[in-house]
Structures are given as C-alpha cells and as structure tokens.
Amino acid sequence: MTYSVQILTNMNQTWMYPQQTITTTEIPTIDNSTRVCNPTSTGAILLADILPSLLIKFVAPFFPFFVHIRMLVVILLSAVGFLLVSFSKASWMAILGVAATSLSSGLGELTLLSYSSKFDKNVISTWSSGTGGAGILAAVTYAGLTGMGLSAGNALLVMLIVPLIMAVTFWLLLQSPDTDRSDTEQIEIPKSDTLVIPPRELTIREKLNAVPPLLSLMIPLGLVYLFEYFINQGLFEFIYFPNIWLDLHGQYRWLQVNYQIGVFVSRSTVNLFVIRKTWILAVLQFVNVVFFLFEAIYLFVPNIWIVFAAVLWEGLLGGAAYVNTFYKVSTEY
C-alpha cells in the first residue's frame, strides 16, 4: 500500500502538464521573486493523498474486522488508482486515482497493523522497516523508469504488478495464525487450573474510551506528519537549483527518494533503541518547516547537497515518529 501511494504522489510533477513538456531551458532565471509553479498546486495531491486515508482510519475500526474482505478491497483500490492516474486526461481524474490509492493505503495499514496483534510483537519493527523500504523502492522506481524515457502513464501500467504481488503475498506466502477456532476451543487449561480466556472484540463504547489515553501519542505523530507533508507537497516544488545535473522534475523526484531513505533507516531502528518522548520529534520537525519555508522564499542555500542532507534528516524524524509510536502502543497499551 505504501508503495502504491508513493508512486502516485510522486507523479504530480508530470501529469499536471498534460499538453506540454517542460525542459531545463524553458525555466526562467531563479531569483527571489520568480518561481516555477504547477497549474495545480501539489497541495491538491496532498489533500487527495491524506484526507481519504485519514477518513478510513477514523471509521474502519468501528466496523467488523473481516481481514480477507478488507484486503480484497485494498488490492482492488490500489489497482484502480494506478489505472485512473495512468489513463487520466484531466487533473480531476488523476486526483481521483490518488484518492483511491490513499483509501487503499489507509485501510491496508490499519488492517495489517490490527492483524499484527496475532503475531509476535517484533512484527511491528519488521512492518515499519518494510513500509520504509517500500517508500524507497517506489520513489526510485518512478524516478528510474521516467528517467529512462518511459512516460508516467506507461510507468504506472508497469506498476500494476504491485497489487498482484500484494495478493500473492497475503493469501499464498503469509503463514496466517489460526483464527478459525471457536472461543471454546481457544480456552486453555494450564497446570494451575486457571482458565485463560481469549481476547474478545471490543464494543464501540470501549473503543471510544480507549482513545483519550492515546492522545499523548497521537498528537505528536499527527503533527510530525502534518509538518513533513507540508514540506514535501507544499514547499519542495519551490526549491530549485538551476544549471546542475538535475532538471526541475529530476530534483523533485530525487528529493523524494532521499526523504524515503531517511524514513527507511529510522523505521528500521526500533529494535536498537526506543524514543520515549515522541513530542521531541514533532518539535524538531517544526524546525525543519521553518528551514524549508525560508529556503522556498529566499533560496539562500548555496548547494543542493545541503538540501539533500536536510531532507534526509526530515525523513529520519518522520520514520522515527511512526515506528516508535506504534511500538509503544503495541507494548504499553
């Protein structure tokens, strides 16, 4: 799911120009009053990427947990998203495709994280590392395919193999826990003769009551993602270094790759160390917002490698907030 939505959100610099191709020679001289902007801001992609996923994450926990039906919906939405964006002739169609993939990503993340409770607790770290790796693979794949001359639409058609791989992995490769036994069959009688009752499904009231204690974790994580999406989809398009080895679109794409590398590294470290005070990550990410905002306005950074380092740091903070939040939920609540 992460792979699919990352591919589609990385497309925004391409499909917004359906009738023209922008080359480096067409880009005006950059100064403090000139910017090269998309006809439709990447903020539109941000909304299409975030709002459907956020909505499904709010409502899905209150519906029955039919994991196989949910995963079927996830895979179908992912494929539909690829097809809509690939064949889009207008901005609304591409945005609808991103929204479909956002629903797929949000429902898939929620479903698989809930399903992980049936496995060993270390699955949280492997899940986080896998989603971080998916981000890198998606960004590199799109940048690589388009860099080799493949059109954005054809690149997405190639990526239709992703929903197929998801289906094969979940239904054929994953060794699922035995969830078909009845409650009476799951009751074990240890030597102490004490009955061990399996966990039951929480009621809607109980689920709502479980939310307030989690706010201390939810709010910092939400702020970290708010800040980094504002940077990635709101400010990256205004940061451009002329006359280097990367053109306008190439710089945007490889900044995204660099960000995903940071996410992958930090999401893979929870077994080495745990960050307890996740609010610190939100504060540091806000500092990044200030840095990138001033860079977008004044273009004061002399070299793109400094921006690459800042973007890597941004990714490290985002990945750390994600994995440490879910690790604490799985071990302390």
Side-chain angles (χ1 to χ4, degrees), residues 9 62 109 148 168 205 267 270 277:
T9 53
F62 301 101
E109 180 179 27
M148 292 187 296
V168 171
R205 180 183 293 274
R267 285 192 180 189
V270 72
K277 299 179 179 180

Side-chain angles (χ1 to χ4, degrees), residues 172-192:
L172 298 182
L173 299 182
L174 180 65
Q175 186 175 357
S176 301
D178 185 7
T179 57
D180 297 328
R181 295 178 300 172
S182 65
D183 286 351
T184 56
E185 292 176 322
Q186 293 182 28
I187 296 177
E188 300 178 2
I189 304 180
K191 293 181 179 179
S192 62

Side-chain angles (χ1 to χ4, degrees), residues 239-283:
I239 299 173
Y240 174 68
F241 292 83
N243 304 319
I244 63 172
W245 73 98
L246 291 173
D247 63 9
L248 174 65
H249 297 314
Q251 290 181 38
Y252 182 89
R253 292 165 187 160
W254 287 103
L255 284 175
Q256 293 287 351
V257 172
N258 190 43
Y259 162 78
Q260 294 297 337
I261 291 173
V263 170
F264 170 70
V265 171
S266 58
R267 285 192 180 189
S268 304
T269 58
V270 72
N271 284 335
L272 300 178
F273 60 90
V274 177
I275 300 175
R276 300 292 178 184
K277 299 179 179 180
T278 54
W279 62 267
I280 296 176
L281 302 173
V283 173

Side-chain angles (χ1 to χ4, degrees), residues 60-73:
F62 301 101
F63 290 92
F65 188 74
F66 299 129
V67 64
H68 295 284
I69 295 177
R70 287 191 179 195
M71 288 306 299
L72 178 62
V73 173

Side-chain angles (χ1 to χ4, degrees), residues 26-103:
E26 295 171 329
I27 296 172
T29 302
I30 302 295
D31 57 37
N32 289 340
S33 61
T34 303
R35 295 292 185 276
V36 179
C37 301
N38 289 316
T40 304
S41 170
T42 49
I45 297 295
L46 174 63
L47 292 176
D49 181 22
I50 297 302
L51 292 182
S53 178
L54 185 63
L55 177 63
I56 198 68
K57 288 178 182 179
F58 271 121
V59 301
F62 301 101
F63 290 92
F65 188 74
F66 299 129
V67 64
H68 295 284
I69 295 177
R70 287 191 179 195
M71 288 306 299
L72 178 62
V73 173
V74 165
I75 291 167
L76 290 176
L77 283 173
S78 177
V80 168
F82 278 125
L83 290 171
L84 281 173
V85 179
S86 178
F87 293 108
S88 63
K89 300 298 181 182
S91 296
W92 69 265
M93 191 173 177
I95 290 176
L96 184 61
V98 173
T101 314
S102 176
L103 284 171

